[in-house]
Amino acid sequence: MSNGYWKDLQEKMEHWLDDALPEADVPQKSIFTAMRYSLMDGGKRIRPMLVLEFCRMCGGDAEVAAPFACAVEMIHTYSLIHDDLPCMDNSDLRRGRPSNHKVFGEASALLAGDGLLTAAFETMLSEQSIRRAGADRAARAAGILASAAGAYGMVGGQVLDLAAEGKQVSLEYLEAMDHRKTGALIIASAKMGCAVAGAEPDKLDAAERYASALGLAFQIQDDILDVTSTPEELGKTVGGDAENEKSTYVSLLGLDKAREQVALLTAQAKDALAVFGDQADALRELADSLASRAK
Amino acid sequence: MSNGYWKDLQEKMEHWLDDALPEADVPQKSIFTAMRYSLMDGGKRIRPMLVLEFCRMCGGDAEVAAPFACAVEMIHTYSLIHDDLPCMDNSDLRRGRPSNHKVFGEASALLAGDGLLTAAFETMLSEQSIRRAGADRAARAAGILASAAGAYGMVGGQVLDLAAEGKQVSLEYLEAMDHRKTGALIIASAKMGCAVAGAEPDKLDAAERYASALGLAFQIQDDILDVTSTPEELGKTVGGDAENEKSTYVSLLGLDKAREQVALLTAQAKDALAVFGDQADALRELADSLASRAK
């Protein structure tokens, strides 16, 4: 399993995203420009990759999974746009470029976020998507994403993040927060991939265990990079956590323990893939590469 | 068909909404309080009523329609919360009470809106909702709402509204804007009611024609009330359109012509209901009462 495998998949993903949210010849076309500015910005596409890979490993078709892969990236992107707004993190930079509201203004960025969140469901529940996946799988997969993205999941994690601002919080709190803020969407991606392929419950369980460990490792690695990286390497502001007096895995565990945790969780994630045999080699590689990433 | 009919339906609706989004015993419970503050505030519930009535007239069950009725009210409520934010209309008052961000702060109001938008899809695509409606009808009805709420629909209307701020616009522009901003969700409500009941295309067409005329009449009446009403009667700031130099039906047509239009559209709306016979008496009455409302 080479790096080329992920690159090919990523390229396909860019085409699917481009198709799912094209520029539109409507009076309100400016909103499509704002939505696409953030959606088509060369993110890592980790969540969509999980949808596609778990679907493939469960015997499903990539064309069936594509709208669901696009949807999770739309939801992830909307959350970044809203998170960057002045009333939230007030971030000027995102993936090496000015954040959405710095380019389009606050009101348009707010609406671009709302539009992307809604577009996720438009995409999953289009006539074509329902026909390809079958209504039962489409409805259930969209339901998985809705639950993960909402007030019990990602939005709830944002709330805990806000409440923790300027405060020292416990490791337990931090894990509860990240499980919602980052973990929920990553877990949903893996489960949606299984769901659109009509997989058995043991595979959904394995997907959840893999993604849960991967998600936490990813977040800890994020915290590590915030103290060890430069804005040039990372393409975004660094040191922001310490500046905002945010508790992080690094501030709570120390850098060495945090790195140990990443290694441990990465091993757990790979173990969870046993049921998929060597079909899961790409996902094992993904776990390793995320643990060692520098951006 | 008496006023008591609507009151009974409205009361049922309050219970369904209350059940669909209860207070939650989770660390992020504050977000549920903020979401419920705006959702359970005694709005007119016109959109949910359309879902329920069209479902009933097409032979469907109210319990099946309830999640979809709740969903459209959640979407409507989120749009009001985001619309009131300082970067948008900057409104302090909504339905006679401080707007969401005045009570909970901007960041929480932003997230409460995001949470409600997502909760709409959680509600429509819950296990129970899918089982009751059947996956095919659930997926298609949720798809109708997603399309209406997104960048081609309601969010697109907000964009046109923003672009028109402080400018004189044409009647054509105003209609294109309102068709998206207000009309899309009202039309979707009527169509969802038909869709969850598995209605024939001619009924979906009639629903669309009724709701389209009703929606425009409603918006013109809103503009009329903005110049003829008091904050006490209306429960919100009045005169804001003139103050913000917004073009309205009243500023473009004059008060008399605007009132004529409301009467004409109300008649059109009622005519569209012919296919439903006397089953549609409540909706005829609704059209009349919206045209003559004082708040």
Side-chain angles (χ1 to χ4, degrees), chain A residues 21 77 89 100 144 152 199 206 218 222 224 237 286 291 295:
Chain A
L21 194 76
T77 304
D89 282 358
N100 197 286
I144 288 171
Y152 288 98
F218 186 82
D222 239 21
I224 292 172
T237 322
L286 177 71
K295 64 177 186 175

Side-chain angles (χ1 to χ4, degrees), chain B residues 2 19 24 29 77 89 93 96 106 113 115 130 133 136 139 146 156 159 170-171 198 227 237-238 244 256 261 265 268:
Chain B
S2 77
D19 282 354
K29 61 186 169 190
T77 304
D89 282 357
L93 208 57
E106 273 184 62
I130 294 173
D136 195 60
V159 173
S170 65
L171 187 62
V227 297
T237 321
V238 298
N244 297 326
D256 288 348
Q261 275 295 309
L265 288 162
Q268 280 176 9

Side-chain angles (χ1 to χ4, degrees), chain A residues 82 110-111 114, chain B residues 77-89 109-115 117 158:
Chain A
H82 281 188
L110 173 68
L111 293 174
D114 293 344
Chain B
T77 304
Y78 114 75
S79 77
L80 299 180
I81 295 175
H82 281 189
D83 208 26
D84 285 341
L85 284 170
C87 70
M88 298 283 291
D89 282 357
L110 174 67
L111 293 173
D114 293 345
L117 168 48
Q158 298 274 30

Side-chain angles (χ1 to χ4, degrees), chain A residues 24 27-28 30 32 78 82 87-88 106-107 110 114 117-118 121-122 127 135-136 140 146 151-152 156 159 162 180, chain B residues 24 27-28 30 32 78 82 87-88 106-107 110 114 117-118 121-122 127 135-136 140 146 150-152 156 159 162 180:
Chain A
Q28 70 274 24
S30 64
F32 290 88
Y78 115 76
H82 281 188
C87 70
M88 299 284 290
E106 275 184 63
L110 173 68
D114 293 344
L117 168 47
T118 314
F121 292 95
E122 291 180 72
E127 290 278 341
D136 195 60
R140 281 170 209 283
Y152 288 98
V159 172
L162 271 181
R180 292 167 176 81
Chain B
Q28 70 275 25
S30 64
F32 290 88
Y78 114 75
H82 281 189
C87 70
M88 298 283 291
E106 273 184 62
L110 174 67
D114 293 345
L117 168 48
T118 315
F121 293 95
E122 292 180 72
E127 291 278 341
D136 195 60
R140 280 170 211 283
Y152 287 98
V159 173
L162 271 180
R180 291 167 176 81

Side-chain angles (χ1 to χ4, degrees), chain A residues 68-90:
Chain A
F68 300 86
C70 289
V72 72
E73 190 70 3
M74 288 172 181
I75 299 252
H76 173 57
T77 304
Y78 115 76
S79 77
L80 300 180
I81 295 174
H82 281 188
D83 209 25
D84 285 342
L85 284 170
C87 70
M88 299 284 290
D89 282 358
N90 195 19

Side-chain angles (χ1 to χ4, degrees), chain A residues 225-245:
Chain A
L225 292 175
D226 191 66
V227 297
T228 62
S229 194
T230 65
E232 290 71 33
E233 281 174 315
L234 213 53
K236 64 178 178 185
T237 322
V238 299
D241 295 338
E243 200 174 301
N244 298 326
E245 291 179 43

